[in-house]
Amino acid sequence: SLQSLQTMMSRYAAIALAVFAFGIIVAWVMSNMSQRLLVEPIGKLAALVERISRTKNYAERMHINRRDEIGVLINGFNNMLSTIESQNNELRKHGEKLESLVELRTKQLHHRANYDTLTKLPNRHLLMEKLQEVMERSRRSGLKTALLLIDIDRFKVINDSLGHNVGDELLQQVGLRLSAT
């Protein structure tokens, strides 16, 4: 009779359906586990990479206690961030040092361009610049301006008879006395 065949086929169909449902449940559970174990940490790491790229804050770290490949990847990323942070700090220090050196050299160049190296007094270039400023101010205000010219009598004779070293010393002494006055 076909009745027993139909009963057997119904039983096999029920078993196949139960195995199929069990397989779907197992697949869903495994998918959730892999989501939690693999995709979620990689997603967090990707979000951290994006945030660090945007903010340039290399002090951020991802903390995870795993001994698998994901843990190795995250620890490697954290170590790389430590290296970048350290190098970034060194570059900042070098930049600050270079900026202060440039500032110092700029001041030195300004001083060399505007002051006599022997007497340390303002040179002709700075004198002309300041004189123009004073004359313009005088013209605007209507006040008078005076210019005093100081000369060292027989300086050439001193230089020729006693030597340039003595002449330089005399100029330095005059410069010191003028600066003190």
Side-chain angles (χ1 to χ4, degrees):
S1 108
L2 292 177
Q3 181 65 22
S4 68
L5 185 62
Q6 282 181 342
T7 304
M8 218 157 82
M9 281 179 57
S10 295
R11 197 175 322 139
Y12 287 145
I15 291 172
L17 187 61
V19 167
F20 179 71
F22 180 74
I24 287 179
I25 290 171
V26 167
W28 181 77
V29 167
M30 289 181 72
S31 170
N32 281 343
M33 285 175 57
S34 70
Q35 172 81 17
R36 194 176 53 230
L37 292 175
L38 297 174
V39 176
E40 191 176 294
I42 291 175
K44 287 180 180 179
L45 184 61
L48 179 65
V49 167
E50 192 277 325
R51 188 171 56 249
I52 290 171
S53 296
R54 188 174 15 89
T55 64
K56 306 289 188 247
N57 179 8
Y58 301 111
E60 289 194 53
R61 300 290 186 274
M62 186 170 175
H63 302 287
I64 193 164
N65 286 330
R66 291 178 64 152
R67 302 215 182 268
D68 60 356
E69 290 81 4
I70 300 288
V72 170
L73 176 68
I74 290 171
N75 286 334
F77 183 74
N78 286 339
N79 290 338
M80 183 178 67
L81 283 176
S82 295
T83 302
I84 291 171
E85 184 179 22
S86 171
Q87 289 177 347
N88 199 30
N89 289 337
E90 276 189 47
L91 283 173
R92 188 178 307 113
K93 287 177 188 175
H94 286 300
E96 290 168 359
K97 188 176 181 180
L98 284 174
E99 283 177 11
S100 67
L101 193 59
V102 165
E103 186 178 328
L104 175 68
R105 295 293 186 244
T106 302
K107 287 178 182 176
Q108 288 173 342
L109 283 173
H110 178 267
H111 192 270
R112 284 183 184 166
N114 293 302
Y115 292 88
D116 181 68
T117 55
L118 184 64
T119 63
K120 309 295 187 245
L121 292 174
N123 63 14
R124 183 176 302 168
H125 174 266
L126 187 58
L127 169 70
M128 298 308 286
E129 194 176 290
K130 295 295 182 185
L131 192 57
Q132 281 183 332
E133 289 175 14
V134 168
M135 289 171 52
E136 180 62 33
R137 205 172 327 134
S138 175
R139 189 172 32 254
R140 276 186 269 133
S141 67
L143 297 173
K144 300 217 181 248
T145 301
L147 176 65
L148 176 64
L149 178 65
I150 299 175
D151 188 23
I152 301 174
D153 289 337
R154 294 183 294 280
F155 182 71
K156 183 173 178 0
V157 173
I158 294 170
N159 245 356
D160 291 343
S161 63
L162 300 175
H164 291 283
N165 290 339
V166 173
D168 287 351
E169 180 66 30
L170 175 63
L171 287 175
Q172 288 173 335
Q173 288 300 317
V174 170
L176 286 173
R177 289 180 186 186
L178 286 174
S179 296
T181 305

